[in-house]
Amino acid sequence: MAKYTGPVCRLCRREGAKLYLKGDRCYSDKCSFTDRGFAPGQHGATQTRKKVSEYGIQLREKQKTRRVYGILERQFRSYFDKAERQKGITGENLLILLERRLDNVVYRLGLAESRNQARQLVRHGHFTVNGHRVNIPSYLVKVGDVVAVKEGSKESPLVKSVAEALSRKTAPAWLEVSADDLNGKIVRYPTREEIDIPIQEHLIVELYSR
């Protein structure tokens, strides 16, 4: 499967918004978006943007969402189709499905500094769900599931560094975290108000409804 391997800060600049792809670094003075909030490229700082069409606005919102969660187009469309079949508001259903991804839950629990790092840790088999090792980042957790660092991975230097910072982080209300045991429980699914990403999901619905 193809994936983006370039500088992730370029993605924030391309979308004109902080996507927090580097975790804690994005909240610090080291964030390059703060100093260079213009589009990437040779003439990014001086180019005058043309008027963006309605389609262009919708497309950028979809691209922004894909980049936040690190998902390719085909898989993203699959999530949308699933959200559309569910009861309720399609846009909100879509975001809730994305939040239920195992890599995102690991990040939300504070067991990784970014979604990208969480995805890597999951792929390397460092996490279990209800006691069973799961190495699929797109695995959808359910209410009542317990996500934990695998016992044999607790001595990993990377996991240790994340664990040291865990007590200083606050997980969203739909998750219950145990810093001592390095695990977390899905208490319920998140509400739209609890999903703190700069996305207007109705634009994505409009794009796919064309």
Side-chain angles (χ1 to χ4, degrees), residues 14-190:
R14 177 64 186 87
E15 302 304 336
K18 273 194 178 188
L19 304 182
Y20 301 97
L21 301 177
K22 285 191 173 180
D24 293 343
R25 182 187 176 93
C26 297
Y27 294 93
S28 70
D29 296 334
K30 295 180 180 179
C31 177
S32 64
F33 183 81
T34 304
D35 299 325
R36 297 184 294 172
F38 49 85
Q42 184 178 1
H43 304 292
T46 58
Q47 67 180 358
T48 55
R49 290 188 175 273
K50 298 179 180 179
K51 184 177 179 180
V52 182
S53 66
E54 182 181 359
Y55 172 80
I57 294 173
Q58 295 166 350
L59 179 62
R60 290 262 59 85
E61 207 66 20
K62 186 258 293 182
Q63 296 293 75
K64 187 194 303 182
T65 309
R66 280 185 48 228
R67 286 167 173 169
V68 167
Y69 289 99
I71 302 173
L72 296 179
E73 175 60 36
R74 188 173 180 179
Q75 190 176 24
F76 188 83
R77 181 58 196 249
S78 177
Y79 282 122
F80 179 83
D81 291 341
K82 186 172 183 176
E84 200 171 30
R85 292 192 298 269
Q86 294 177 339
K87 293 181 180 179
I89 302 172
T90 300
E92 292 186 10
N93 291 342
L94 172 63
L95 293 183
I96 292 171
L97 281 172
L98 296 174
E99 285 289 309
R100 288 174 54 197
R101 285 173 55 96
L102 180 57
D103 56 357
N104 177 76
V105 171
V106 167
Y107 165 68
R108 292 293 194 187
L109 287 170
L111 297 172
E113 293 181 358
S114 65
R115 288 183 180 86
N116 186 50
Q117 186 185 76
R119 190 156 43 251
Q120 183 182 33
L121 289 171
V122 170
R123 280 182 179 147
H124 290 178
H126 292 297
F127 288 92
T128 64
V129 178
N130 300 328
H132 301 284
R133 187 172 73 93
V134 178
N135 60 1
I136 303 172
S138 60
Y139 179 89
L140 293 180
V141 300
K142 302 181 294 294
V143 173
D145 283 352
V146 176
V147 177
V149 175
K150 193 177 68 172
E151 197 61 38
S153 299
K154 291 183 178 179
E155 297 304 312
S156 164
L158 180 57
V159 173
K160 276 186 172 181
S161 67
V162 172
E164 289 172 1
L166 186 57
S167 59
R168 301 193 299 270
K169 297 181 178 180
T170 303
W174 56 282
L175 297 172
E176 189 177 89
V177 186
S178 172
D180 294 333
D181 298 326
L182 294 182
N183 66 29
K185 183 178 181 179
I186 290 75
V187 179
R188 56 178 172 80
Y189 295 144

